[in-house]
Amino acid sequence: MTAAAAVPLTWLYAPGDRPDVVRKARDSGADVVIVDLEDAVAPDRKAYARSATAELLAEPLAGTDGVPMHVRVHTETDILALAGLPGLAELRLPKITHATTVHHIAALAPGVALCPLLESALGIEHAYAIAASHPQVRSIAIGEIDLRADLGVRDDMGLDWSRSRVVVAARAAGLAPPTQSVFPDVLDLDGLWQSCVHGRGLGFVGRAAIHPRQLPVIERAFRPTAEEIEAAQEIVAAALTDAGALALPDGRFVDAAVVASARRTLALAERVG
């Protein structure tokens, strides 16, 4: 995440077997770079992708120069090769269906932040158990392409129940709000915008991308509007003078939950750029 970004909103995938692309991703303006060792890498390139990523993350400042480096792993061999490297900020764990798997991986990578990816009906059913499974779990997310195939869903709205369940599970487990899954059509920026607006309404914060051209759209969709910032400032200012529930001059009722939401809005508004 860039120094100017108080809350990450953009997460850019880059294939692990293309270290040149990974380096470009770090300069793209994305808040987080996700090096992919799974779907983006052909089977005969997996070993090279792992070694190239390990070399990149072995640099002492690789993950502390302003852009956290996450890795979506493919095998336990990936986990063991990367877990102790100074440039690694988080491991993203594909196709997680049970909390016991998270415990096993946490033992292989002690102290490393983990993000289980829920990509099947069974994973969604176990969302809270997975989210609350281990202190190393810092976030959860959906892998929508695989989930869509598993459920046989044709209409995008058919995923909304699963999306909401993951948002609720993350909140119940005390995690940050989940980020949206990737939007696969890199040329349809209008469709990306509409999808982000819909995801924001469901409670997602930020989104993963597969191309740098998607980053500005995601950033704009999830940043608070001027009206939202003004309303949040009014709520927080009112709360400073009255610790209990109160009503604003326009009739809006304000309690602790509303104040907390306003403060989250202002945290997002602190982003520069």
Side-chain angles (χ1 to χ4, degrees):
M1 183 171 63
T2 61
V7 178
L9 291 181
T10 53
W11 314 63
L12 181 60
Y13 274 96
D17 63 339
R18 294 286 307 280
D20 57 325
V21 175
V22 174
R23 291 187 176 91
K24 288 179 181 178
R26 290 169 59 178
D27 296 329
S28 68
D31 296 328
V32 178
V33 170
I34 305 171
V35 184
D36 193 7
L37 302 183
E38 196 203 17
D39 291 343
V41 179
D44 62 348
R45 299 272 292 175
K46 298 288 189 187
Y48 170 70
R50 179 170 57 249
S51 63
T53 301
E55 182 178 352
L56 180 66
L57 297 182
E59 301 171 12
L61 298 179
T64 58
D65 60 354
V67 184
M69 304 290 287
H70 296 190
V71 179
R72 181 166 71 169
V73 295
H74 179 62
T75 65
E76 286 192 7
T77 303
D78 295 337
I79 296 169
L80 293 171
L82 303 177
L85 298 179
L88 177 67
E90 183 174 281
L91 290 174
R92 294 173 74 86
L93 314 176
K95 299 176 176 62
I96 298 299
T97 57
H98 292 85
T100 53
T101 305
V102 178
H103 279 272
H104 175 68
I105 293 173
L108 296 177
V112 177
L114 304 176
C115 176
L117 303 177
L118 312 182
E119 305 182 66
S120 66
L122 188 57
I124 296 297
E125 281 297 298
H126 294 163
Y128 174 72
I130 292 169
S133 62
H134 197 279
Q136 286 173 230
V137 174
R138 305 296 169 77
S139 60
I140 58 174
I142 302 178
E144 289 192 356
I145 294 176
D146 284 344
L147 179 60
R148 186 189 301 273
D150 189 44
L151 296 177
V153 171
R154 294 184 179 182
D155 191 309
D156 185 70
M157 301 293 283
L159 292 177
D160 277 1
W161 184 87
S162 298
R163 292 165 173 156
S164 292
R165 181 155 185 170
V166 171
V167 170
V168 171
R171 180 60 180 166
L175 305 179
T179 58
Q180 266 189 284
S181 183
V182 299
F183 188 82
D185 188 341
V186 300
L187 298 179
D188 184 7
L189 298 184
D190 289 337
L192 171 62
W193 166 262
Q194 294 297 330
S195 179
C196 288
V197 170
H198 181 67
R200 185 183 178 196
L202 291 174
F204 289 90
V205 175
R207 186 165 202 163
I210 55 176
H211 194 283
R213 69 165 57 95
Q214 296 178 313
L215 300 177
V217 177
I218 295 170
E219 169 88 16
R220 184 165 55 93
F222 283 96
R223 286 189 66 170
T225 65
E227 293 77 10
E228 289 170 336
I229 294 170
E230 182 179 0
Q233 290 172 333
E234 184 178 5
I235 290 168
V236 170
L240 293 176
T241 61
D242 191 330
L246 66 151
L248 298 180
D250 63 3
R252 283 178 295 158
F253 179 77
V254 175
D255 62 6
V258 175
V259 173
S261 178
R263 287 178 173 147
R264 287 194 295 271
T265 296
L266 294 181
L268 285 174
E270 290 174 1
R271 296 171 57 89
V272 177

